[in-house]
Amino acid sequence: MKKNKRWGVKRVLLLLGGLLFVVIMAVVLFFFSVKWGAFGPLPGDEELSDIRNATATLVYSSDDKVIGKIFSENRTNADLTELPQHLLDALVATEDARFYEHEGVDKRSMLRVVVKSIILQDESAGGGSTITQQLAKNLYGRRDFSFLTLPVNKFKEIILANRLEELYSKDQILEFYLNTVPFSENTYGIEAASQRFFSKKPFQLLVEESAVLIGMLKASTYYNPRLHPDHALKRRNVVLHQMVRYGYLPKPTYDSLKVNELKLDYNKLGEDSRAPYFMTHVKSKALELLEDKLAEDGEPYDLEQDGLKIYTTLNLEMQQAADAAIKKHMTRLQHLFDQHWKGRKPWGAQTNVFDSELIRSRSYQNLKRKNLPEDSIKYYLNLKHPVQVYAPQGDTVLEMSIRDSVEYYLKLLNCGFLAMQPSSGQVLAWSGGLNHRFMPYDHVLTKRQSASTFKPIVYAAALSKGADPCGYISNEQRVYEEYENWTPRNYDNEYGGYYSMKGALTKSVNVAAVQTLFETGISNVLIMARQLGINSKLPSDPSVALGTGSVSLYEMVQAYSVFANGGYELQPYFIQRIENAKGEVLYQHDGPNTKRRILAEDIPAMINEMLQAVVNNGTATRLRNVYGLSNSLAGKTGTAQNYTDGWFIGYNPNIVAGVWVGASSPVVHFRSGAYGSGSAMALPIFGEFFKNINKSSDLNFYTKASFDELSPELQSRMDCEDFREETIFDSFFGIFRDEEGKPISPGKEEEPESDAKPEKKGFLERIFKRKN
């Protein structure tokens, strides 16, 4: 009986042993099938010897400060020399305590991996992957093999880990690992994580800060210090305790650090750059400049992965000054606008404006793509839910429907700001709107009516054709029958007398600008606009003198830069240099070898003198009496019809800055010049901007620049009164002048009937009945 019992136990043991042998052989065969490529080829030694991470392209300001990144994965590689020892110690103590003892695979953990992870398919088992195995996973990811996914990928990582250990030193593996590991929020690598959560380079990290970042590796979202500071704090102390346990940190140091509060200096630079509208154009232009450049592998450069460095002309301090000015003024202006239209919709009965905006909205288009019936679309358009929206005081969440959201943004005023160095064409600051995330449309490139900012171009064309700056221009209101009885009106509805060019420009007199246009020739004015850099299609009728043509802020700043630089052709640019990851120069902006003169030297000198008078005595005097600017400045305001667009462009010889303010639809606007004029809507942003940059000694080159004094000859040519009353001699000689248009009788501003024949008047009546 005992013999049979012993034989039964022996048979069971043999059976179990045989079963175990079969399992082991199956695992071994499975392992080699993975190694030999049955589940896809593994990277060879040559590929492993040339590990390249997808690395973000860094974009720098003119003073070498990072203003943004271009990436698919927010990653910037850090060199081993930049990684503090306490960071490496925290990593090893927490993730792989025997890292320096094994050769890629921790044999003590192998059995647990085989039994729990592979045989039992327990994905939560963990504990078996070394840092080297995790590196293999970070580099090559994991593929789906159905129910074999976990064992296949585990074996691949074991094989690759062993090869990596043969090719690289332990320190190199730690460097690769810290440059590839994800840290939450689409942030990859220790460099990006250090900048994101602590606004520091890795070598600047404190011990407790390193512990926070290493702690995130266990569960990057759960231990995200911004989202879950309580979780991150506990995990930080676990990491510090591990460092004590394995001899990397003295116990007294741990005791002092574990009671410290969690302190972050969060910086979301990867997604919200310091100049987001500008960054959009940098990326587009860089792609164009690198179009014919090839990387070492013979492939075109990839801005999102190849770790390039783009050095731009943007001045970060100036950009921040512009953004601060925009925020301050536009917050106040939006409040005024909301009060102005309180209880009413700015588009009034023109509901088609709202309807067209609704149809163009992304939400509406998404609903249409689903082929929903109209009643369902209507239901979803009116369904309220929490929505994060832009607000002047800061992003907020409101309960609103799609219709509410469209209406909300339609009521918002927006702006564009551009600053440029006129001598070189370097873009110094670029803000295309209030918030790139919610309103990505760039208003630096928006084409809207330029209003009175176009008038200096009219006078420049007149001067280039030999007009006398002191040749007085009639301020008589006229009707132009051949142009559908069009009658230009002055902003203040004051007529009569005569203006010099400077006087007409200082007071922004419309009828004088139109008269000058006729005397110069419409075609000559259009040619002048093209020469100055305005490529938008302009109307070939007299209204162009008043800025009815739609142009962009970019074009207007470029045109004014020609006045500021003394009359030379200008090609704006914003990328100075592009380097690859090795520091080799791929592109360098050299600029034109010679500058072509567009305007004779005396013309910009006279225009600059006239536009300084606009700041000192005309429509831009707020710069002096409200913003207290004593700088040498020239400039011009612009107010489009019905206050739809407000403009201001101001400058000196070293900087030209332009501002446009308006709503997305021209139908949405103020109803009075007190709030809706260019001097009220746009000029304040320039005023605040210049106040801000005046405070910086680093920007003295731009703020202290002044215009040259006029030569005695030009002073003599411009030595006349801005305005004089009409005399009997003007009336007499006016009879013989061949002027365009028909004078409007005193006190009568209505347009005459198009088919009415003008009444003939006697000689004396024609003299004495003219408007005074």
Side-chain angles (χ1 to χ4, degrees):
M1 186 73 180
K2 289 181 180 180
K3 185 177 179 181
N4 289 337
K5 187 175 182 180
R6 285 197 301 270
W7 173 244
V9 171
K10 189 174 180 180
R11 289 180 64 184
V12 170
L13 291 174
L14 287 172
L15 183 63
L16 290 175
L19 183 62
L20 180 61
F21 176 78
V22 170
V23 170
I24 291 174
M25 290 302 297
V27 171
V28 170
L29 289 173
F30 184 69
F31 174 83
F32 279 99
S33 69
V34 173
K35 186 175 182 179
W36 293 333
F39 294 90
L42 293 172
D45 288 350
E46 183 178 352
E47 182 178 344
L48 291 173
S49 298
D50 186 28
I51 294 174
R52 293 178 69 247
N53 297 325
T55 308
T57 288
L58 297 181
V59 181
Y60 293 86
S61 63
S62 59
D63 50 353
D64 289 338
K65 294 178 180 176
V66 177
I67 58 174
K69 295 181 179 182
I70 302 171
F71 59 85
S72 55
E73 295 177 348
N74 183 12
R75 185 202 314 276
T76 307
N77 287 337
D79 188 80
L80 184 65
T81 58
E82 299 177 277
L83 305 179
Q85 187 60 45
H86 58 71
L87 176 71
L88 303 178
D89 294 342
L91 173 63
V92 172
T94 309
E95 295 294 316
D96 189 356
R98 290 183 292 275
F99 173 72
Y100 292 106
E101 301 169 18
H102 62 66
E103 296 179 355
V105 179
D106 186 353
K107 295 176 182 177
R108 295 187 192 180
S109 303
M110 273 294 294
L111 183 60
R112 181 170 66 251
V113 172
V114 171
V115 175
K116 287 189 174 183
S117 296
I118 295 178
I119 296 177
L120 300 180
Q121 293 281 294
D122 183 1
E123 296 188 21
S124 64
S129 292
T130 63
I131 287 176
T132 318
Q133 288 172 253
Q134 293 179 52
L135 171 61
K137 182 176 71 174
N138 293 341
L139 290 173
Y140 297 104
R142 286 181 168 179
R143 292 176 56 192
D144 183 11
F145 297 98
S146 188
F147 67 94
L148 293 175
T149 294
L150 186 61
V152 169
N153 284 305
K154 279 287 186 181
F155 278 144
K156 281 188 173 185
E157 289 158 13
I158 289 171
I159 296 165
L160 291 175
N162 185 257
R163 291 182 183 176
L164 288 168
E165 291 274 354
E166 292 174 355
L167 292 169
Y168 296 103
S169 69
K170 290 289 186 179
D171 284 345
Q172 287 176 314
I173 289 172
L174 291 178
E175 177 186 341
F176 287 144
Y177 177 80
L178 285 170
N179 281 326
T180 58
V181 67
F183 281 93
S184 183
E185 301 187 12
N186 197 28
T187 302
Y188 292 78
I190 191 65
E191 169 82 17
S194 180
Q195 292 282 5
R196 169 64 61 90
F197 295 102
F198 297 105
S199 297
K200 291 180 176 181
K201 291 281 190 179
F203 72 85
Q204 298 172 312
L205 290 170
L206 302 176
V207 175
E208 60 269 33
E209 292 169 342
S210 291
V212 170
L213 296 178
I214 295 301
M216 292 176 67
L217 302 181
K218 182 175 178 65
S220 59
T221 300
Y222 185 81
Y223 293 116
N224 184 313
R226 180 180 69 88
L227 301 175
H228 305 291
D230 51 338
H231 300 168
L233 182 61
K234 291 177 182 177
R235 181 62 181 167
R236 179 200 71 180
N237 290 343
V238 169
V239 173
L240 292 173
H241 186 267
Q242 287 293 97
M243 294 176 72
V244 174
R245 178 182 177 185
Y246 291 104
Y248 294 115
L249 189 69
K251 181 68 163 54
T253 305
Y254 164 73
D255 291 335
S256 64
L257 292 178
K258 71 177 182 179
V259 297
N260 289 347
E261 295 181 359
L262 179 66
K263 295 181 179 179
L264 300 181
D265 187 1
Y266 187 76
N267 177 14
K268 201 176 180 182
L269 178 61
E271 293 156 12
D272 295 337
S273 81
R274 301 183 186 188
Y277 292 94
F278 178 71
M279 282 289 297
T280 299
H281 302 290
V282 168
K283 182 177 180 179
S284 176
K285 188 65 177 179
L287 288 171
E288 178 187 327
L289 295 174
L290 296 174
E291 191 172 9
D292 59 345
K293 308 286 186 182
L294 297 179
E296 289 182 353
D297 58 3
E299 295 295 321
Y301 280 100
D302 189 333
L303 285 180
E304 295 184 343
Q305 300 191 52
D306 287 347
L308 307 182
K309 293 182 179 180
I310 302 176
Y311 296 89
T312 72
T313 63
L314 185 128
N315 185 294
L316 182 56
E317 190 172 5
M318 203 174 284
Q319 179 69 43
Q320 291 171 333
D323 291 339
I326 289 169
K327 182 174 179 60
K328 181 177 180 179
H329 174 65
M330 293 304 293
T331 299
R332 173 182 173 275
L333 191 68
Q334 187 63 51
H335 175 73
L336 290 172
F337 189 77
D338 293 341
Q339 293 299 312
H340 187 74
W341 287 102
K342 190 172 184 179
R344 288 172 289 179
K345 300 185 188 304
W347 48 90
Q350 300 184 59
T351 55
N352 61 309
V353 174
F354 172 80
D355 293 339
S356 63
E357 287 288 330
L358 179 64
I359 291 171
R360 291 210 313 262
S361 70
R362 186 180 304 172
S363 299
Y364 181 88
Q365 292 299 323
N366 288 339
L367 291 174
K368 289 293 288 185
R369 275 192 286 271
K370 293 177 181 178
N371 295 317
L372 298 174
E374 285 301 318
D375 57 342
S376 295
I377 291 178
K378 185 177 180 180
Y379 169 78
Y380 286 114
L381 289 178
N382 292 289
L383 180 65
K384 293 185 182 292
H385 56 281
V387 179
Q388 188 172 12
V389 296
Y390 161 81
Q393 67 274 16
D395 300 349
T396 187
V397 176
L398 299 175
E399 193 78 14
M400 57 171 55
S401 65
I402 295 173
R403 294 180 65 89
D404 296 333
S405 178
V406 171
E407 181 174 311
Y408 178 85
Y409 282 106
L410 190 55
K411 290 179 180 179
L412 286 181
L413 298 176
N414 218 311
C415 73
F417 179 96
L418 180 67
M420 189 181 297
Q421 186 181 45
S423 59
S424 64
Q426 292 184 0
V427 171
L428 303 173
W430 183 315
S431 291
L434 303 178
N435 187 295
H436 187 265
R437 177 186 174 192
F438 294 101
M439 295 169 284
Y441 189 75
D442 193 332
H443 292 286
V444 168
L445 303 178
T446 301
K447 293 189 178 182
R448 299 290 282 263
Q449 290 190 358
S450 59
S452 292
T453 57
F454 192 82
K455 289 175 182 174
I457 298 172
V458 175
Y459 291 113
L463 291 171
S464 69
K465 291 300 176 183
D468 182 357
C470 281
Y472 281 96
I473 311 162
S474 173
N475 186 36
E476 182 179 42
Q477 190 177 22
R478 309 179 76 83
V479 59
Y480 298 93
E481 295 176 332
E482 62 272 42
Y483 293 99
E484 299 180 354
N485 290 328
W486 178 62
T487 302
R489 291 174 170 81
N490 289 336
Y491 182 80
D492 57 6
N493 276 320
E494 295 291 330
Y495 305 96
Y498 290 83
Y499 282 96
S500 67
M501 277 192 188
K502 185 176 77 170
L505 204 48
T506 300
K507 300 301 181 184
S508 200
V509 182
N510 286 343
V511 296
V514 173
Q515 187 59 40
T516 302
L517 176 89
F518 276 118
E519 293 176 359
T520 306
I522 295 176
S523 61
N524 290 324
V525 171
L526 297 179
I527 290 171
M528 173 61 68
R530 293 284 182 272
Q531 289 177 327
L532 295 176
I534 297 176
N535 295 313
S536 297
K537 183 174 177 58
L538 300 173
S540 298
D541 62 59
S543 70
V544 73
L546 308 184
T548 57
S550 293
V551 301
S552 68
L553 180 62
Y554 185 92
E555 291 173 302
M556 293 306 295
V557 170
Q558 181 178 352
Y560 274 64
S561 292
V562 177
F563 299 145
N565 71 22
Y568 290 96
E569 182 182 38
L570 186 75
Q571 291 298 327
Y573 74 99
F574 44 83
I575 294 181
Q576 190 73 53
R577 187 172 77 258
I578 303 177
E579 296 178 358
N580 65 15
K582 295 181 179 179
E584 298 168 342
V585 176
L586 304 178
Y587 167 80
Q588 176 75 50
H589 178 84
D590 296 323
N593 296 325
T594 58
K595 288 185 177 181
R596 184 172 69 92
R597 178 172 283 283
I598 296 174
L599 302 175
E601 188 175 357
D602 58 340
I603 295 173
M606 287 187 284
I607 293 294
N608 293 340
E609 183 73 11
M610 296 176 192
L611 292 180
Q612 287 178 78
V614 174
V615 172
N616 296 329
N617 306 303
T619 57
T621 53
R622 286 192 186 192
L623 293 180
R624 302 295 190 209
N625 54 41
V626 175
Y627 296 96
L629 300 181
S630 58
N631 310 73
S632 178
L633 289 170
K636 187 71 188 76
T637 56
T639 307
Q641 188 174 13
N642 296 326
Y643 315 109
T644 58
D645 306 279
W647 295 76
F648 181 74
I649 302 175
Y651 66 97
N652 65 30
N654 288 345
I655 182 172
V656 179
V659 183
W660 168 88
V661 174
S664 60
S665 171
V667 174
V668 178
H669 54 77
F670 281 107
R671 291 167 294 168
S672 72
Y675 302 133
S677 66
S679 60
M681 286 208 298
L683 179 145
I685 293 177
F686 180 94
E688 293 289 351
F689 164 73
F690 230 85
K691 273 179 62 178
N692 292 340
I693 64 174
N694 267 337
K695 299 172 185 175
S696 172
S697 58
D698 293 335
L699 301 177
N700 282 346
F701 172 77
Y702 302 102
T703 58
K704 303 298 183 184
S706 59
F707 295 96
D708 294 334
E709 290 188 7
L710 293 178
S711 65
E713 179 188 354
L714 286 183
Q715 286 181 359
S716 176
R717 287 183 63 187
M718 298 189 70
D719 186 14
C720 54
E721 296 291 332
D722 289 350
F723 175 81
R724 67 174 176 81
E725 296 287 350
E726 186 176 22
T727 68
I728 190 172
F729 297 103
D730 293 318
S731 300
F732 180 78
F733 289 109
I735 299 171
F736 304 103
R737 283 201 299 266
D738 184 18
E739 293 183 326
E740 295 286 343
K742 176 184 174 183
I744 293 180
S745 301
K748 183 181 180 182
E749 294 186 6
E750 68 274 15
E751 295 178 0
E753 293 293 329
S754 59
D755 59 347
K757 295 182 179 179
E759 181 183 355
K760 293 185 178 181
K761 298 179 181 179
F763 177 75
L764 293 177
E765 186 180 9
R766 284 156 60 193
I767 293 177
F768 294 108
K769 291 293 185 180
R770 290 177 66 87
K771 182 173 169 53
N772 290 323

